[in-house]
Amino acid sequence: MPYPRLEIDLAKIEHNTALIVRICREHGVRVMGVTKVCCGEHRVARAMLRGGVERIADSRVENLLKIRRAGIRVPLYLLRLPMKSQAAEVVEAADGSLNSELDVIRVLGAEASRRSRKHKVILMIDLGDLREGIWSDAAPDKVKGATPRAVKGPVDAALEAARVPGIELEGIGTNLTCFGGVCPTPENLGRLVQIAESLGERLGRPPETVSGGNSSSLLLAQAGRLPRGITELRIGEGIMLGRETVERRPIPGAHLDAFRLIAEVIEVKDKPSVPAGEIGEDAFGRNPAFPDRGIRRRAIAALGRQDAVLEGLTPEPSGIEVLGGSSDHLLLDVTDSPTPIRVGDRISFIPGYGALLAAMTSPYVEKVYVGG
Ligand SMILES: *Cc1c(COP(=O)(O)O)cnc(C)c1O
């Protein structure tokens, strides 16, 4: 069995999905399962569907096509704003997409019409995080220069999108805690609901979907503080890693080890904790600093930046500390390990989101599916 290896436990992913779906359902909220950290792996999508999600979303058209080709028939959504140049592929691969540019929506509509179809659009509203979406101050009275346009702008844009031939305006949505680190609150999500209500009045029917964000909205959902009117959350990390993403607190009852990255030890030696010689830049152009802890037992595992984000790895066994690493080497302090670490041993790590993303996309990491 080759190493490094990423073990993906489908039963744990299903369990975490079911747990989150139950929490959301109690508050009348659906869950869209987000597969992007798993490269649109159909086995992961299936585990999410068994856990109760009704629709699947991914940030890449290629991943949605993989899911479709695997025979999965539920509605598929593209999360990243579509590239104009990719409109035809988007309409082929996805039933709908998140959007913020009318120009692109028109091209999507034309491609859908050519296929005698409707492409569903969830119009993104920026409530302050400064990633995608039509700007709407979450608290216009508190922001210098803000005006009632905060509601009018998004509603007008949505009405215009609804008039584009080939497009079905499914609703509106927002994305928080991604670029600006802005947390979802009853106030900013309340503004999203307010925009949805004004839009509903103008359309003569409430929008079908009010998409209230990603795993960072789970904390509010758990506390029963999601504003009424949010109909759906788009959840990836919460399902995969079992934590909400504002404070990264475990969701009670969730598995935190659905993914394990396992690496093999290739050297174990006792060495000083401070390098000997003149110190220049390391392999990545940084000037490292080392606390002097005397002679320590160090291990090298065959795992590097080509496989994972090394800072995002938590060793599972106790008494092991990640010191750092380079493209192909992970340096560990194993002095305090209760069982002696030897060459050839395998050490398992729980990856954080960045480390998981890197491991999933690295061709050097063997993916092994268990619990399916
Ligand atoms: C990635 C992404 C999500 C899912 O985020 P998680 O934090 O993994 O739950 C939701 N919406 C959009 C637009 C995304 O890009």
Side-chain angles (χ1 to χ4, degrees):
M1 180 82 76
Y3 294 90
R5 174 153 56 117
L6 182 66
E7 268 184 18
I8 301 157
D9 191 318
L10 297 167
K12 290 180 179 170
I13 293 172
E14 177 183 337
H15 169 93
N16 287 358
T17 309
L19 194 66
I20 289 172
V21 165
R22 196 179 331 130
I23 293 168
C24 291
R25 219 172 251 164
E26 275 169 22
H27 303 100
V29 173
R30 299 199 291 186
V31 176
M32 193 180 246
V34 174
T35 49
K36 71 182 181 206
V37 79
C38 290
C39 305
E41 168 58 43
H42 68 93
R43 281 168 283 200
V44 172
R46 285 215 169 84
M48 286 180 163
L49 289 166
R50 287 195 297 275
V53 305
E54 291 161 52
R55 335 200 269 176
I56 297 285
D58 200 290
S59 52
R60 306 268 172 162
V61 170
E62 297 86 332
N63 292 351
L64 292 176
L65 281 173
K66 262 164 61 179
I67 292 170
R68 195 61 99 203
R69 287 200 196 106
I72 291 174
R73 295 276 165 255
V74 300
L76 300 184
Y77 283 75
L78 181 66
L79 288 175
R80 187 171 66 184
L81 304 177
M83 289 185 257
K84 227 173 171 180
S85 64
Q86 217 181 14
E89 289 88 342
V90 171
V91 168
E92 285 295 339
D95 299 278
S97 54
L98 311 188
N99 284 274
S100 69
E101 293 287 352
L102 277 162
D103 241 21
V104 179
I105 293 171
R106 286 194 194 96
V107 181
L108 291 169
E111 290 292 345
S113 297
R114 191 166 303 154
R115 292 164 178 77
S116 312
R117 280 200 223 150
K118 291 264 187 196
H119 185 76
K120 297 188 187 213
V121 161
I122 297 176
L123 191 73
M124 295 303 276
I125 314 296
D126 186 346
L127 297 173
D129 196 51
L130 294 179
R131 208 178 79 174
E132 72 272 51
I134 293 161
W135 181 253
S136 166
D137 299 323
D141 44 327
K142 293 201 190 88
V143 179
K144 211 169 126 191
T147 65
R149 251 173 48 79
V151 169
K152 194 170 171 295
V155 170
D156 287 348
L159 290 170
E160 205 166 333
R163 285 193 293 267
V164 174
I167 293 297
E168 180 186 326
L169 179 74
E170 183 184 313
I172 60 173
T174 195
N175 199 54
L176 291 162
T177 339
C178 267
F179 178 73
V182 173
C183 299
T185 60
E187 290 71 38
N188 55 23
L189 289 182
R191 173 146 298 256
L192 186 71
V193 171
Q194 200 184 338
I195 294 167
E197 283 167 354
S198 319
L199 175 63
E201 281 165 23
R202 301 282 300 279
L203 284 172
R205 58 172 171 88
E208 183 188 325
T209 296
V210 183
S211 189
N214 53 41
S215 297
S216 68
S217 295
L218 283 173
L219 208 54
L220 284 186
Q222 284 171 287
R225 293 175 68 225
L226 271 183
R228 258 161 115 76
I230 300 290
T231 68
E232 189 167 64
L233 297 181
R234 310 176 305 271
I235 306 294
E237 182 170 348
I239 291 174
M240 309 293 188
L241 299 182
R243 296 170 186 268
E244 52 75 34
T245 57
V246 172
E247 297 169 11
R248 293 226 147 56
R249 271 193 296 195
I251 296 163
H255 293 292
L256 308 180
D257 58 354
F259 296 84
R260 286 201 154 87
L261 188 56
I262 305 167
E264 184 169 322
V265 174
I266 53 176
E267 182 187 289
V268 181
K269 306 252 181 251
D270 292 336
K271 293 187 191 180
S273 37
V274 178
E278 210 174 299
I279 306 283
E281 288 187 345
D282 71 7
F284 290 87
R286 288 174 293 211
N287 291 96
F290 300 92
D292 190 355
R293 300 164 74 193
I295 301 287
R296 305 288 292 179
R297 174 148 299 180
R298 301 160 68 92
I300 301 179
L303 182 79
R305 296 193 192 280
Q306 303 203 70
D307 311 298
V309 175
L310 305 181
E311 293 71 23
L313 296 177
T314 306
E316 274 199 290
S318 64
I320 296 182
E321 192 190 329
V322 173
L323 297 171
S326 55
S327 326
D328 307 289
H329 298 79
L330 177 66
L331 298 174
L332 303 167
D333 186 320
V334 298
T335 316
D336 300 330
S337 171
T339 50
I341 301 295
R342 299 195 184 85
V343 168
D345 283 355
R346 280 115 203 196
I347 299 180
S348 70
F349 301 87
I350 301 298
Y353 192 80
L356 175 58
L357 184 67
M360 277 305 306
T361 49
S362 171
Y364 301 108
V365 176
E366 178 83 3
K367 282 81 176 173
V368 180
Y369 292 87
V370 300

